[in-house]
Amino acid sequence: RGGGKAALEVQNAILNINGVTITNLASSGYGILPSGNTTLNVYDGIIEGGTSAISSNATYAVTPQINIFGGQIKGHYYGMYLPGQTVTTISGGFVEGINMRMGNVRVTGDAQIGPARMTATDSDDIGVEINTSGNIWLGDAITMLVGQYAASQTQSDSIDATLTIEENAKVSSNF
């Protein structure tokens, strides 16, 4: 589960968020963790996490879907951490940085992707992190480090990753 508990974890369901605030500011916490074959739809509201506001699960053989139509997605590190084969569409709202390791992310419409808050320090061993798994805190608006994130050597997740930015979407390190 990415090392922390979520304020709201949903598995194999549809979750619609509209006009509410969901917060988990624990140092290893997530706002929402859609796991299994969950569909998460965010229309409006604020989602905050001590690590990431939204983090998908890298569980073998599942494909969560995340749709951001509006709202604010804010995390202490990244707004969204996507380690698995998540299908994500962001067509509105503001996301404070995206860190993806695999899956498909489409940024379109009125979406705004700003920089992540936290960046790597001199004590972070980025090489180890890239070669294993987990978040990398580079501070970019979008960090795409494609790599396997399987539970064991006998399971293998596809390491396909696609990032599409189109239409009026804005991606900037200066929002």
Side-chain angles (χ1 to χ4, degrees):
R1 299 192 189 192
K5 293 184 178 185
L8 184 58
E9 180 175 354
V10 180
Q11 185 170 6
N12 300 321
I14 296 172
L15 175 62
N16 296 310
I17 302 294
N18 193 2
V20 298
T21 298
I22 297 173
T23 303
N24 180 3
L25 298 179
S27 63
S28 62
Y30 298 105
I32 299 176
L33 177 63
S35 61
N37 289 310
T38 291
T39 297
L40 169 63
N41 298 308
V42 178
Y43 296 97
D44 191 18
I46 299 170
I47 303 170
E48 295 181 281
T51 299
S52 296
I54 298 173
S55 178
S56 65
N57 197 327
T59 304
Y60 175 71
V62 297
T63 307
Q65 293 191 25
I66 300 172
N67 303 301
I68 308 295
F69 301 103
Q72 297 178 42
I73 314 300
K74 304 186 294 185
H76 179 72
Y77 296 106
Y78 281 87
M80 298 178 77
Y81 174 48
L82 307 172
Q85 285 299 330
T86 306
V87 175
T88 304
T89 301
I90 305 166
S91 58
F94 177 76
V95 177
E96 196 170 61
I98 299 171
N99 183 343
M100 66 180 289
R101 293 191 65 87
M102 62 180 93
N104 297 296
V105 174
R106 180 174 169 244
V107 182
T108 187
D110 294 326
Q112 295 182 352
I113 311 300
R117 282 192 223 174
M118 186 84 166
T119 59
T121 66
D122 293 337
S123 64
D124 291 331
D125 190 342
I126 294 172
V128 170
E129 289 288 332
I130 290 172
N131 290 323
T132 58
S133 63
N135 274 321
I136 310 296
W137 316 123
L138 299 178
D140 300 319
I142 299 175
T143 300
M144 184 176 178
L145 297 169
V146 179
Q148 189 172 7
Y149 195 86
S152 72
Q153 295 297 329
T154 60
Q155 294 179 337
S156 65
D157 291 324
S158 168
I159 57 171
D160 295 332
T162 303
L163 172 63
T164 304
I165 302 170
E166 59 189 11
E167 297 178 12
N168 295 321
K170 295 175 179 65
V171 177
S172 176
S173 61
N174 295 316
F175 277 129

